[in-house]
Amino acid sequence: MKETEQVSEQNLKKEELEKLTLIEAALYVAGRPLDLKTLSSVLKTRSKRKVRRLARILAEEYAKRVTALEILELEDGRFVMQLKAEYTPKVRRIATRPLVPAGPLRTLSYIAYRQPITQKQVVEVRGSHAYKHIKQLEDLGLISKEKAGKNTILRTTTFFADYFGLSHDLKTMKKQLKTLFETLSSQSSMKVGGGER
Amino acid sequence: MKETEQVSEQNLKKEELEKLTLIEAALYVAGRPLDLKTLSSVLKTRSKRKVRRLARILAEEYAKRVTALEILELEDGRFVMQLKAEYTPKVRRIATRPLVPAGPLRTLSYIAYRQPITQKQVVEVRGSHAYKHIKQLEDLGLISKEKAGKNTILRTTTFFADYFGLSHDLKTMKKQLKTLFETLSSQSSMKVGGGER
Amino acid sequence: MTVSREKPFYFNPPWNILFDFNRLNKISPWQVKISFLLTSFLEEMEKRGEIDFRASGVALDSSAFIYLMKSKLLLKLEEPPAPRPVIKDIVPPPLFLPLRHELTSTTIEHLLQVLEEVIKGERLFVHKIKMEPILPQPSEVLPEIDRYLMEIQKQMENLYFRLKGVLREKRVIGFSEIVSKAERLEIIRTFILLLFLAQQGRINLWQEEEFGEIFITLAEENVIEGNGASF
């Protein structure tokens, strides 16, 4: 990642190493993206630049290591720790939090892939259960509804983009999604709509 | 840690490294101690000995690294990933999401204190909303249901015990709860009463 | 919980059709999947914990109406339309949300604090139960009553025997005379026994003025019924 590439744990002063682990602790505990302000308050420093530099070093350390975890820098500058996507299907059932079932997540994929899209079209492709899915996804803050005349237009939220570490720019996001779907479908083949959900 | 001390990532085969990260993934998403049986099921192996060996190597790797996290082998043979104790006070305020909302928490506290208890009795004391709470608590793995003739018996799970740092033995747990509860109520009544007793 | 200002969930698709009678009259009943609508409506209501009987009633009424329309069309031999073909489009694989560990903020102190409130509620509940009328077990209570009644009978006989002795010489005696040396409790007991004796018609009691002396005479032998207590 950029100019910090050369830096590694060895080059860091003890004090900086301690700050690195504090960022790690904060990200581990949060389970959500943290902005530089929050991270600064944990480190008791005011320099966001410094915090960003350290968080990037940490993210890089994680990327270099053989590990199931990753630390990502989101577009809006926040950092998040999470399980790498490829491990999700393997350990999903162990997670304690109630999980969103596959049906609504397929509807989410479809909306993300075709957005902006009318609710009607989603229901036509995914079946009438999609009404329930759409409601669930809206409750989770992953999609938003917008009235346009008689139609209801659906699209994903910035929360969605952040959750999956995707760009806020729709065009870029769709490209990223395409790649992501290709990786995912190599694990399980793409489904043509209407079938099981 | 015992005979595995010499082993490090470098000495492991690619296949074993993959298993190590799977254990890491499982421990990370679980956020609670996992027994060898669960870990074996994730690794799709039957040899608990092998799983224990790998989990110990992982724990050791974590111990060697500069990190805020640790992997511990508990007395009962389970493994857990957790934040090192010294970091907890520094980042605790970042944790904002309660385990469960206030209503279900009340129902949970009552079940824990009176367990084993019939669902009927819980609903009588807590009101008909308790049905919903019980469902939620069960989904989160905090309580378990058991049919006994016409009655449904409720009790807390080992996850509940682990989360609150209580004994797995029901009798001991209830004693612990009672003692803590009495200490707390005497403190709060002193606060209310104002005067010394 | 949802904010009360929000309109109820069932005013949104797909359930809104059940609550819009104007629209219901205009649409083709074949377009409405009643079982799906009702099942999901109930599920949603349960999930939200907002059980609304009025809404359920309206939903039921509308369903019945739709069934009626369908039956009428069938009687007119109108074929139900073929199911709408599902439009085929690529549906990408599900996007599983990334798993993140999150430390929750609930501590054992929180658990015990709320427990205190719940236990208070439990006490109220138990209290309520106790206040319900409970019929005593006959086997335990009846012997008690027997013993009490037997005791009264015995005491009554004693008192009657005493009165007979006193009243052999004079026909009338005042209540204050027979209890002149008695304790308060004894006075009350004697008074109650006098009432019993009068009730059985074995003595006569009367007062000449309110709060005045109570006079006692023996009733005529063999007269059991008749003018018992007269005060």
Side-chain angles (χ1 to χ4, degrees):
Chain A
M1 214 177 257
K2 283 141 229 167
E3 74 285 272
T4 54
E5 227 142 279
Q6 279 8 294
V7 195
S8 85
E9 280 184 13
Q10 279 70 31
N11 307 40
L12 289 168
K13 279 176 273 169
K14 199 176 162 249
E15 194 196 315
E16 281 186 313
L17 263 179
E18 182 56 28
K19 283 184 176 160
L20 229 54
T21 47
L22 260 177
I23 295 176
E24 189 191 26
L27 292 175
Y28 173 75
V29 160
R32 63 180 189 276
L34 293 180
D35 57 21
L36 292 174
K37 205 178 142 203
T38 313
L39 288 174
S40 307
S41 75
V42 172
L43 297 196
K44 296 193 170 71
T45 171
R46 277 193 201 169
S47 164
K48 284 187 190 163
R49 244 188 79 247
K50 210 169 140 193
V51 175
R52 187 195 294 122
R53 189 183 135 257
L54 288 167
R56 279 182 179 166
I57 295 173
L58 184 70
E60 201 191 321
E61 287 293 330
Y62 265 73
K64 273 195 275 177
R65 189 186 305 157
V66 180
T67 169
L69 311 179
E70 62 186 2
I71 291 177
L72 300 179
E73 182 177 356
L74 303 180
E75 263 199 348
D76 57 6
R78 292 181 302 163
F79 285 84
V80 66
M81 178 192 279
Q82 63 188 29
L83 190 75
K84 286 180 184 164
E86 64 254 47
Y87 290 96
T88 307
K90 291 167 185 159
V91 294
R92 210 169 165 258
R93 65 189 170 78
I94 291 173
T96 329
R97 295 182 64 175
L99 296 168
V100 184
L105 293 180
R106 263 202 197 103
T107 304
L108 175 64
S109 293
Y110 184 68
I111 295 169
Y113 192 60
R114 291 279 185 234
Q115 69 181 314
I117 185 172
T118 62
Q119 176 162 287
K120 194 167 157 262
Q121 200 185 329
V122 175
V123 173
E124 271 168 0
V125 172
R126 294 283 299 138
S128 56
H129 273 82
Y131 281 117
K132 216 168 102 182
H133 297 168
I134 289 166
K135 182 77 186 55
Q136 269 176 289
L137 296 168
E138 206 193 352
D139 286 348
L140 286 166
L142 291 165
I143 61 163
S144 69
K145 275 183 182 179
E146 193 195 331
K147 275 270 167 200
K150 275 192 175 180
N151 291 321
T152 304
I153 309 291
L154 306 176
R155 57 185 95 224
T156 57
T157 57
T158 52
F159 175 69
F160 165 86
D162 287 345
Y163 218 125
F164 292 94
L166 300 167
S167 169
H168 289 185
D169 173 65
L170 188 59
K171 227 172 156 185
T172 320
M173 187 209 281
K174 281 200 168 181
K175 256 185 221 156
Q176 290 171 324
L177 274 173
K178 224 181 145 198
T179 323
L180 181 61
F181 287 142
E182 272 157 18
T183 331
L184 287 171
S185 14
S186 65
Q187 293 166 1
S188 66
S189 57
M190 278 234 200
K191 301 266 164 31
V192 170
E196 58 44 276
R197 33 203 59 135
Chain B
M1 215 178 257
K2 285 141 227 168
E3 76 285 88
T4 54
E5 226 141 283
Q6 280 8 295
V7 196
S8 86
E9 280 185 13
Q10 279 69 34
N11 306 41
L12 289 169
K13 279 176 272 167
K14 198 179 163 245
E15 194 195 314
E16 281 187 315
L17 262 178
E18 182 55 28
K19 282 182 177 160
L20 230 55
T21 46
L22 260 178
I23 295 176
E24 188 191 29
L27 292 175
Y28 171 76
V29 300
R32 64 179 193 274
L34 293 180
D35 57 22
L36 292 175
K37 205 178 139 205
T38 312
L39 288 175
S40 306
S41 75
V42 172
L43 296 194
K44 297 195 169 70
T45 171
R46 278 191 201 169
S47 165
K48 284 185 191 164
R49 246 188 78 245
K50 210 169 141 192
V51 175
R52 189 196 291 122
R53 187 183 136 258
L54 287 168
R56 279 182 180 164
I57 295 173
L58 184 70
E60 200 192 321
E61 287 294 330
Y62 265 74
K64 275 193 275 181
R65 189 184 305 158
V66 182
T67 168
L69 309 178
E70 61 186 358
I71 291 177
L72 297 180
E73 183 176 358
L74 303 181
E75 263 180 62
D76 57 10
R78 293 182 303 160
F79 285 85
V80 65
M81 178 190 280
Q82 61 186 31
L83 193 70
K84 285 180 185 166
E86 66 256 43
Y87 289 96
T88 314
K90 292 170 185 158
V91 293
R92 175 173 280 156
R93 65 185 175 78
I94 288 175
T96 47
R97 193 177 62 87
L99 178 66
V100 289
L105 186 68
R106 284 199 186 96
T107 305
L108 176 64
S109 74
Y110 186 66
I111 295 170
Y113 198 63
R114 292 280 185 233
Q115 67 181 313
I117 186 171
T118 62
Q119 176 161 289
K120 196 170 154 258
Q121 206 181 329
V122 174
V123 172
E124 271 170 0
V125 171
R126 295 282 303 128
S128 61
H129 272 77
Y131 283 116
K132 215 172 97 186
H133 298 166
I134 289 166
K135 177 80 183 49
Q136 264 177 292
L137 295 168
E138 204 194 355
D139 285 350
L140 284 168
L142 288 162
I143 62 162
S144 69
K145 274 184 181 179
E146 193 195 332
K147 273 269 163 201
K150 276 190 177 180
N151 291 319
T152 305
I153 310 290
L154 307 176
R155 56 186 97 222
T156 58
T157 57
T158 53
F159 170 55
F160 169 87
D162 287 334
Y163 182 89
F164 289 107
L166 299 164
S167 167
H168 285 189
D169 174 62
L170 184 61
K171 237 174 150 177
T172 318
M173 186 209 283
K174 284 185 86 172
K175 252 186 226 157
Q176 289 174 326
L177 277 173
K178 215 178 152 209
T179 317
L180 286 167
F181 183 52
E182 275 158 13
T183 322
L184 187 87
S185 349
S186 68
Q187 279 169 1
S188 61
S189 66
M190 270 171 86
K191 254 183 250 158
V192 173
E196 72 282 68
R197 261 142 236 195
Chain C
M1 278 290 131
T2 40
V3 185
S4 54
R5 268 185 295 118
E6 271 177 32
K7 63 177 180 180
F9 73 89
Y10 46 79
F11 283 178
N12 291 313
W15 308 288
N16 57 343
I17 184 69
L18 293 174
F19 297 89
D20 190 345
F21 228 72
N22 285 333
R23 247 184 86 203
L24 207 57
N25 275 305
K26 287 174 203 154
I27 52 148
S28 156
W30 305 116
Q31 286 176 346
V32 187
K33 285 185 182 165
I34 303 175
S35 77
F36 162 72
L37 284 178
L38 287 184
T39 318
S40 58
F41 172 70
L42 285 178
E43 276 172 9
E44 188 66 21
M45 206 157 55
E46 247 168 55
K47 202 179 84 191
R48 291 162 179 266
E50 304 165 358
I51 309 299
D52 186 337
F53 291 111
R54 280 173 310 170
S56 308
V58 174
L60 192 66
D61 192 39
S62 302
S63 318
F65 180 72
I66 294 162
Y67 268 122
L68 182 72
M69 292 208 298
K70 284 186 182 178
S71 315
K72 279 182 181 167
L73 288 177
L74 279 176
L75 286 174
K76 277 199 280 176
L77 297 178
E78 184 178 302
E79 285 272 319
R84 192 167 45 181
V86 172
I87 294 172
K88 301 274 183 196
D89 190 6
I90 297 287
V91 176
L95 278 170
F96 289 112
L97 305 184
L99 293 174
R100 294 168 185 165
H101 169 271
E102 182 183 350
L103 192 75
T104 42
S105 55
T106 309
T107 63
I108 187 127
E109 283 78 18
H110 294 134
L111 183 79
L112 294 172
Q113 270 159 14
V114 296
L115 178 62
E116 206 169 355
E117 295 163 32
V118 178
I119 295 290
K120 270 181 209 158
E122 186 193 36
R123 277 191 214 119
L124 279 178
F125 174 76
V126 172
H127 192 57
K128 232 191 306 180
I129 285 282
K130 279 185 180 157
M131 278 166 61
E132 282 175 23
I134 297 167
L135 286 175
Q137 292 291 317
S139 56
E140 284 172 12
V141 174
L142 283 182
E144 289 269 348
I145 291 172
D146 276 354
R147 227 174 292 140
Y148 177 71
L149 290 175
M150 275 160 62
E151 195 82 303
I152 286 188
Q153 200 61 42
K154 212 171 120 196
Q155 301 286 346
M156 267 163 65
E157 293 310 321
N158 287 345
L159 181 64
Y160 188 67
F161 185 74
R162 250 178 76 202
L163 287 174
K164 258 166 99 176
V166 181
L167 290 172
R168 222 175 275 148
E169 292 149 25
K170 40 180 177 177
R171 275 184 49 91
V172 181
I173 190 169
F175 178 65
S176 55
E177 259 179 273
I178 58 166
V179 294
S180 57
K181 287 171 199 160
E183 302 263 327
R184 195 179 147 82
L185 189 63
E186 188 57 36
I187 297 171
I188 296 168
R189 276 185 185 149
T190 309
F191 178 67
I192 292 170
L193 291 173
L194 284 174
L195 291 179
F196 273 106
L197 286 169
Q199 217 259 324
Q200 288 183 359
R202 297 163 80 181
I203 58 167
N204 295 318
L205 300 173
W206 77 93
Q207 271 174 310
E208 296 195 329
E209 52 190 299
E210 232 177 326
F211 305 112
E213 179 68 271
I214 298 168
F215 298 103
I216 307 159
T217 57
L218 285 182
E220 296 296 329
E221 294 285 347
N222 303 326
V223 179
I224 292 175
E225 287 173 272
N227 55 341
S230 56
F231 61 31

mmCIF file of all heavy atoms in Angstrom, chain B residues 1 5-6 20 23 35-36 39 43 52 61-62 93-94 97 140 142 145 157 163-164 189:
data_model
loop_
_atom_site.group_PDB
_atom_site.id
_atom_site.type_symbol
_atom_site.label_atom_id
_atom_site.label_comp_id
_atom_site.label_asym_id
_atom_site.label_seq_id
_atom_site.Cartn_x
_atom_site.Cartn_y
_atom_site.Cartn_z
ATOM 1 N N MET B 1 5.018 -23.626 24.592
ATOM 2 C CA MET B 1 3.966 -24.560 24.963
ATOM 3 C C MET B 1 4.348 -25.983 24.594
ATOM 4 O O MET B 1 4.308 -26.371 23.428
ATOM 5 C CB MET B 1 2.670 -24.167 24.253
ATOM 6 C CG MET B 1 1.431 -24.427 25.083
ATOM 7 S SD MET B 1 0.018 -23.877 24.159
ATOM 8 C CE MET B 1 -0.302 -22.329 25.002
ATOM 9 N N GLU B 5 6.903 -26.488 20.591
ATOM 10 C CA GLU B 5 7.631 -25.220 20.605
ATOM 11 C C GLU B 5 8.476 -24.940 19.352
ATOM 12 O O GLU B 5 8.591 -23.805 18.941
ATOM 13 C CB GLU B 5 8.529 -25.172 21.843
ATOM 14 C CG GLU B 5 8.437 -23.844 22.558
ATOM 15 C CD GLU B 5 8.448 -24.026 24.056
ATOM 16 O OE1 GLU B 5 7.406 -24.416 24.598
ATOM 17 O OE2 GLU B 5 9.503 -23.816 24.645
ATOM 18 N N GLN B 6 9.053 -26.004 18.816
ATOM 19 C CA GLN B 6 9.955 -25.803 17.660
ATOM 20 C C GLN B 6 9.187 -25.435 16.389
ATOM 21 O O GLN B 6 9.721 -24.784 15.505
ATOM 22 C CB GLN B 6 10.754 -27.092 17.381
ATOM 23 C CG GLN B 6 11.976 -27.356 18.261
ATOM 24 C CD GLN B 6 12.184 -26.446 19.442
ATOM 25 O OE1 GLN B 6 12.421 -25.236 19.285
ATOM 26 N NE2 GLN B 6 12.086 -26.988 20.638
ATOM 27 N N LEU B 20 -4.657 -24.134 9.820
ATOM 28 C CA LEU B 20 -4.380 -23.184 10.903
ATOM 29 C C LEU B 20 -5.267 -21.934 10.742
ATOM 30 O O LEU B 20 -5.863 -21.459 11.717
ATOM 31 C CB LEU B 20 -2.905 -22.771 10.811
ATOM 32 C CG LEU B 20 -2.058 -22.834 12.071
ATOM 33 C CD1 LEU B 20 -2.110 -24.208 12.689
ATOM 34 C CD2 LEU B 20 -0.622 -22.469 11.748
ATOM 35 N N ILE B 23 -8.857 -22.639 11.683
ATOM 36 C CA ILE B 23 -9.073 -22.593 13.141
ATOM 37 C C ILE B 23 -9.151 -21.128 13.585
ATOM 38 O O ILE B 23 -10.017 -20.740 14.365
ATOM 39 C CB ILE B 23 -7.916 -23.313 13.894
ATOM 40 C CG1 ILE B 23 -7.925 -24.810 13.541
ATOM 41 C CG2 ILE B 23 -8.031 -23.115 15.403
ATOM 42 C CD1 ILE B 23 -6.769 -25.586 14.149
ATOM 43 N N ASP B 35 -14.829 -26.081 21.487
ATOM 44 C CA ASP B 35 -14.220 -27.360 21.852
ATOM 45 C C ASP B 35 -13.614 -28.030 20.622
ATOM 46 O O ASP B 35 -13.843 -27.610 19.488
ATOM 47 C CB ASP B 35 -15.231 -28.267 22.560
ATOM 48 C CG ASP B 35 -16.468 -28.519 21.727
ATOM 49 O OD1 ASP B 35 -16.398 -28.361 20.500
ATOM 50 O OD2 ASP B 35 -17.513 -28.870 22.307
ATOM 51 N N LEU B 36 -12.854 -29.076 20.873
ATOM 52 C CA LEU B 36 -12.129 -29.733 19.776
ATOM 53 C C LEU B 36 -13.093 -30.349 18.771
ATOM 54 O O LEU B 36 -12.794 -30.424 17.587
ATOM 55 C CB LEU B 36 -11.179 -30.797 20.342
ATOM 56 C CG LEU B 36 -9.994 -30.223 21.144
ATOM 57 C CD1 LEU B 36 -9.182 -31.340 21.769
ATOM 58 C CD2 LEU B 36 -9.096 -29.364 20.252
ATOM 59 N N LEU B 39 -14.117 -27.603 16.428
ATOM 60 C CA LEU B 39 -12.987 -27.264 15.557
ATOM 61 C C LEU B 39 -12.741 -28.381 14.545
ATOM 62 O O LEU B 39 -12.462 -28.114 13.374
ATOM 63 C CB LEU B 39 -11.735 -27.010 16.407
ATOM 64 C CG LEU B 39 -11.744 -25.703 17.216
ATOM 65 C CD1 LEU B 39 -10.528 -25.613 18.116
ATOM 66 C CD2 LEU B 39 -11.803 -24.482 16.284
ATOM 67 N N LEU B 43 -12.612 -28.308 10.399
ATOM 68 C CA LEU B 43 -11.476 -28.812 9.615
ATOM 69 C C LEU B 43 -11.841 -30.061 8.828
ATOM 70 O O LEU B 43 -11.032 -30.572 8.065
ATOM 71 C CB LEU B 43 -10.299 -29.132 10.545
ATOM 72 C CG LEU B 43 -9.666 -27.977 11.307
ATOM 73 C CD1 LEU B 43 -8.325 -28.415 11.875
ATOM 74 C CD2 LEU B 43 -9.467 -26.766 10.426
ATOM 75 N N ARG B 52 -5.921 -30.470 18.092
ATOM 76 C CA ARG B 52 -5.325 -29.848 19.269
ATOM 77 C C ARG B 52 -3.915 -29.367 18.953
ATOM 78 O O ARG B 52 -3.523 -28.256 19.327
ATOM 79 C CB ARG B 52 -5.307 -30.826 20.449
ATOM 80 C CG ARG B 52 -4.893 -30.114 21.748
ATOM 81 C CD ARG B 52 -4.496 -31.069 22.847
ATOM 82 N NE ARG B 52 -5.649 -31.814 23.325
ATOM 83 C CZ ARG B 52 -5.721 -33.146 23.299
ATOM 84 N NH1 ARG B 52 -4.710 -33.860 22.828
ATOM 85 N NH2 ARG B 52 -6.789 -33.754 23.745
ATOM 86 N N GLU B 61 1.868 -19.143 17.776
ATOM 87 C CA GLU B 61 2.142 -18.106 16.781
ATOM 88 C C GLU B 61 1.664 -16.751 17.294
ATOM 89 O O GLU B 61 2.346 -15.748 17.170
ATOM 90 C CB GLU B 61 1.421 -18.417 15.466
ATOM 91 C CG GLU B 61 2.011 -19.559 14.662
ATOM 92 C CD GLU B 61 3.406 -19.218 14.145
ATOM 93 O OE1 GLU B 61 3.670 -18.022 13.902
ATOM 94 O OE2 GLU B 61 4.220 -20.145 14.022
ATOM 95 N N TYR B 62 0.451 -16.760 17.865
ATOM 96 C CA TYR B 62 -0.100 -15.527 18.401
ATOM 97 C C TYR B 62 0.741 -15.008 19.560
ATOM 98 O O TYR B 62 0.946 -13.808 19.695
ATOM 99 C CB TYR B 62 -1.557 -15.732 18.837
ATOM 100 C CG TYR B 62 -2.551 -15.342 17.771
ATOM 101 C CD1 TYR B 62 -2.740 -16.138 16.651
ATOM 102 C CD2 TYR B 62 -3.278 -14.157 17.866
ATOM 103 C CE1 TYR B 62 -3.640 -15.775 15.663
ATOM 104 C CE2 TYR B 62 -4.179 -13.789 16.874
ATOM 105 C CZ TYR B 62 -4.359 -14.596 15.778
ATOM 106 O OH TYR B 62 -5.233 -14.223 14.797
ATOM 107 N N ARG B 93 -14.868 1.221 25.679
ATOM 108 C CA ARG B 93 -15.923 2.187 25.340
ATOM 109 C C ARG B 93 -16.328 2.133 23.866
ATOM 110 O O ARG B 93 -17.364 2.668 23.475
ATOM 111 C CB ARG B 93 -15.497 3.595 25.736
ATOM 112 C CG ARG B 93 -14.320 4.088 24.968
ATOM 113 C CD ARG B 93 -13.843 5.442 25.453
ATOM 114 N NE ARG B 93 -12.626 5.808 24.756
ATOM 115 C CZ ARG B 93 -12.612 6.270 23.523
ATOM 116 N NH1 ARG B 93 -13.729 6.442 22.855
ATOM 117 N NH2 ARG B 93 -11.472 6.574 22.935
ATOM 118 N N ILE B 94 -15.496 1.486 23.045
ATOM 119 C CA ILE B 94 -15.837 1.371 21.622
ATOM 120 C C ILE B 94 -16.948 0.342 21.423
ATOM 121 O O ILE B 94 -17.738 0.427 20.486
ATOM 122 C CB ILE B 94 -14.582 1.018 20.808
ATOM 123 C CG1 ILE B 94 -13.680 2.238 20.764
ATOM 124 C CG2 ILE B 94 -14.932 0.555 19.404
ATOM 125 C CD1 ILE B 94 -12.371 1.999 20.112
ATOM 126 N N ARG B 97 -22.635 -2.058 21.243
ATOM 127 C CA ARG B 97 -23.835 -2.851 20.992
ATOM 128 C C ARG B 97 -24.065 -3.816 22.155
ATOM 129 O O ARG B 97 -23.178 -4.561 22.533
ATOM 130 C CB ARG B 97 -23.690 -3.646 19.698
ATOM 131 C CG ARG B 97 -24.987 -4.252 19.189
ATOM 132 C CD ARG B 97 -24.750 -4.966 17.869
ATOM 133 N NE ARG B 97 -23.824 -6.068 18.013
ATOM 134 C CZ ARG B 97 -24.192 -7.299 18.356
ATOM 135 N NH1 ARG B 97 -25.442 -7.557 18.599
ATOM 136 N NH2 ARG B 97 -23.304 -8.258 18.468
ATOM 137 N N LEU B 140 -29.796 -16.825 19.512
ATOM 138 C CA LEU B 140 -28.455 -16.331 19.823
ATOM 139 C C LEU B 140 -27.622 -17.372 20.570
ATOM 140 O O LEU B 140 -26.462 -17.134 20.883
ATOM 141 C CB LEU B 140 -28.547 -15.056 20.679
ATOM 142 C CG LEU B 140 -28.940 -13.793 19.926
ATOM 143 C CD1 LEU B 140 -29.287 -12.691 20.903
ATOM 144 C CD2 LEU B 140 -27.796 -13.354 19.033
ATOM 145 N N LEU B 142 -28.101 -18.406 23.610
ATOM 146 C CA LEU B 142 -27.938 -18.097 25.036
ATOM 147 C C LEU B 142 -28.752 -19.029 25.929
ATOM 148 O O LEU B 142 -28.400 -19.251 27.081
ATOM 149 C CB LEU B 142 -28.343 -16.645 25.296
ATOM 150 C CG LEU B 142 -27.356 -15.612 24.754
ATOM 151 C CD1 LEU B 142 -28.008 -14.244 24.650
ATOM 152 C CD2 LEU B 142 -26.123 -15.537 25.648
ATOM 153 N N LYS B 145 -33.964 -24.980 24.785
ATOM 154 C CA LYS B 145 -35.301 -25.462 25.116
ATOM 155 C C LYS B 145 -35.267 -26.974 25.161
ATOM 156 O O LYS B 145 -34.530 -27.602 24.399
ATOM 157 C CB LYS B 145 -36.262 -25.068 24.001
ATOM 158 C CG LYS B 145 -36.871 -23.711 24.103
ATOM 159 C CD LYS B 145 -37.862 -23.574 22.954
ATOM 160 C CE LYS B 145 -38.521 -22.220 22.944
ATOM 161 N NZ LYS B 145 -39.448 -22.111 21.806
ATOM 162 N N THR B 157 -27.164 -21.796 28.227
ATOM 163 C CA THR B 157 -26.189 -22.646 27.542
ATOM 164 C C THR B 157 -24.774 -22.398 28.082
ATOM 165 O O THR B 157 -24.561 -21.484 28.883
ATOM 166 C CB THR B 157 -26.189 -22.309 26.047
ATOM 167 O OG1 THR B 157 -25.896 -20.916 25.927
ATOM 168 C CG2 THR B 157 -27.536 -22.599 25.418
ATOM 169 N N TYR B 163 -19.884 -16.355 28.286
ATOM 170 C CA TYR B 163 -19.993 -14.924 28.038
ATOM 171 C C TYR B 163 -19.890 -14.135 29.342
ATOM 172 O O TYR B 163 -19.209 -13.117 29.422
ATOM 173 C CB TYR B 163 -21.307 -14.590 27.321
ATOM 174 C CG TYR B 163 -21.432 -13.109 27.000
ATOM 175 C CD1 TYR B 163 -20.944 -12.608 25.808
ATOM 176 C CD2 TYR B 163 -21.988 -12.222 27.921
ATOM 177 C CE1 TYR B 163 -21.007 -11.262 25.514
ATOM 178 C CE2 TYR B 163 -22.060 -10.866 27.646
ATOM 179 C CZ TYR B 163 -21.575 -10.393 26.443
ATOM 180 O OH TYR B 163 -21.631 -9.041 26.168
ATOM 181 N N PHE B 164 -20.581 -14.627 30.381
ATOM 182 C CA PHE B 164 -20.591 -13.882 31.639
ATOM 183 C C PHE B 164 -19.534 -14.382 32.619
ATOM 184 O O PHE B 164 -19.506 -13.961 33.770
ATOM 185 C CB PHE B 164 -21.983 -13.943 32.274
ATOM 186 C CG PHE B 164 -23.003 -13.133 31.523
ATOM 187 C CD1 PHE B 164 -23.981 -13.748 30.764
ATOM 188 C CD2 PHE B 164 -22.972 -11.745 31.557
ATOM 189 C CE1 PHE B 164 -24.916 -12.995 30.057
ATOM 190 C CE2 PHE B 164 -23.903 -10.988 30.859
ATOM 191 C CZ PHE B 164 -24.868 -11.605 30.100
ATOM 192 N N SER B 189 -29.080 -0.945 47.582
ATOM 193 C CA SER B 189 -29.984 -0.501 48.647
ATOM 194 C C SER B 189 -29.265 0.472 49.575
ATOM 195 O O SER B 189 -29.858 1.381 50.116
ATOM 196 C CB SER B 189 -30.529 -1.686 49.428
ATOM 197 O OG SER B 189 -29.493 -2.329 50.117
#
